[in-house]
Amino acid sequence: MYCEAMQRYNDEIEILRAKMTQSAMVLGLNHPDVLEYSQKLDETHNLILQLKYKYQSKDLSAPVR
């Protein structure tokens, strides 16, 4: 599940990054659409960090064999 979720978030980041870059070239860096894509990128990146932290926390709490 971890790898699938991580791949989904990474795919979403690439799509958002491409849309943001294209919009910035056409509309300018300060256009609301560009800023919205940037914010969505940040939110998705935060989800990745949360997922990594959750996964690492579970991994650290697992008993050592």
Side-chain angles (χ1 to χ4, degrees):
M1 179 172 158
Y2 171 80
C3 291
E4 292 142 4
M6 190 62 71
Q7 185 61 48
R8 188 176 67 244
Y9 288 139
N10 283 327
D11 292 344
E12 186 175 341
I13 280 181
E14 290 305 317
I15 292 167
L16 288 168
R17 185 179 293 141
K19 288 180 178 180
M20 182 182 72
T21 302
Q22 184 64 30
S23 295
M25 290 183 346
V26 173
L27 304 170
L29 291 176
N30 293 322
H31 192 277
D33 289 352
V34 176
L35 299 176
E36 186 175 333
Y37 284 128
S38 176
Q39 187 173 22
K40 287 180 181 179
L41 269 168
D42 290 343
E43 290 169 1
T44 306
H45 185 252
N46 287 338
L47 290 172
I48 287 175
L49 293 176
Q50 288 174 0
L51 184 63
K52 283 183 179 180
Y53 178 76
K54 185 177 177 181
Y55 181 76
Q56 288 174 347
S57 295
K58 283 184 180 180
D59 197 30
L60 292 175
S61 64
V64 177
R65 293 183 185 216

